[in-house]
Amino acid sequence: MSPKRIVILDGHPAETSLSRAFAMAYAEAARGRGHVVRLHHLSEMRFDPDFGGGGYGNAKPLEPELEALLGDIEWAEHVVLAAPVWWGGLPARLKGLIDRAFLPGRTFDTRNTTAMGLPAPLLTGRTGRVFLTSDTPNWIYRLFYGSALMRQLTGQVLGFVGIRPARITHFAGATDAAPERITRWLRDVRRLGQAAA
């Protein structure tokens, strides 16, 4: 397998988290197999997460941290996100990052449309992997909530800009997970990092 260019975003707003551990484990395993990795931590990024009311025609200039992340996504062949599920969605700061950085002209093209009439994606040719942690058991998340955030991420966010396929690994029962369970999860994350999958 030839080396891949990989960008990883630890999407947890705290400095210490399971998401950060997953991002670090994936990065270490991928580098160990010769992949080229660029790693970003949401907790270390300084930017205004509020898109504001200016609209796309008058969007705020991207802060250096957002510009660097977006440049790395454009550079990458594989995009990895590790994040918690809070109240059925993404943490507000991570959602703000997407609102601010995933802009027309960089991630999608409103002047050209797909056969379905949607803006043409500009990040095609990239694959994705998402690690989500939550306390909701997988079967409840699927049966009662329809895997809503997973569908949003694969279809309306990553898929919308062309990152396909974006595969999701959901780790449930994260808050009170036993150390041996976390060890198993980290082993799974490292295995995926080695394969750049």
Side-chain angles (χ1 to χ4, degrees):
M1 178 176 57
S2 59
K4 282 188 180 178
R5 299 187 305 274
I6 302 171
V7 61
I8 303 171
L9 174 60
D10 156 27
H12 200 294
E15 291 181 10
T16 304
S17 68
L18 193 53
S19 297
R20 187 182 186 103
F22 289 162
M24 299 289 286
Y26 190 102
E28 181 183 12
R31 287 179 177 135
R33 286 293 174 94
H35 302 293
V36 183
V37 177
R38 296 181 181 175
L39 177 61
H40 297 260
H41 298 287
L42 181 65
S43 65
E44 298 172 4
M45 299 174 70
R46 300 292 166 250
F47 64 94
D48 180 359
D50 183 14
F51 181 78
Y56 286 139
N58 190 27
K60 298 173 186 174
L62 294 181
E63 291 87 347
E65 288 89 343
L66 293 181
E67 187 62 55
L69 174 64
L70 190 51
D72 284 350
I73 292 173
E74 292 168 332
W75 160 86
E77 298 169 283
H78 188 59
V79 179
V80 178
L81 169 67
V85 178
W86 287 354
W87 292 103
L90 297 174
R93 189 164 175 74
L94 177 55
K95 177 61 168 60
L97 180 150
I98 294 168
D99 290 346
R100 289 288 316 285
F102 282 36
L103 297 173
R106 293 290 293 273
T107 63
F108 61 94
D109 185 357
T110 56
R111 294 167 300 178
N112 295 300
T113 57
T114 66
M116 295 179 64
L118 297 172
L122 294 178
L123 297 177
T124 56
R126 294 159 183 83
T127 55
R129 168 66 61 181
V130 178
F131 297 111
L132 291 178
T133 60
S134 75
D135 290 328
T136 305
N138 281 312
W139 71 271
I140 291 179
Y141 194 73
R142 285 193 311 271
L143 184 62
F144 292 101
Y145 300 123
S147 302
L149 179 57
M150 296 177 186
R151 290 187 293 111
Q152 179 189 25
L153 286 170
T154 57
Q156 294 174 284
V157 179
L158 300 175
F160 185 82
V161 298
I163 301 172
R164 295 189 186 112
R167 295 185 171 89
I168 295 185
T169 305
H170 181 210
F171 299 99
T175 298
D176 297 318
E180 57 270 17
R181 193 174 195 192
I182 293 174
T183 298
R184 285 198 309 271
W185 289 348
L186 286 167
R187 187 168 56 241
D188 293 342
V189 169
R190 288 189 187 96
R191 179 180 49 80
L192 291 168
Q194 290 172 347

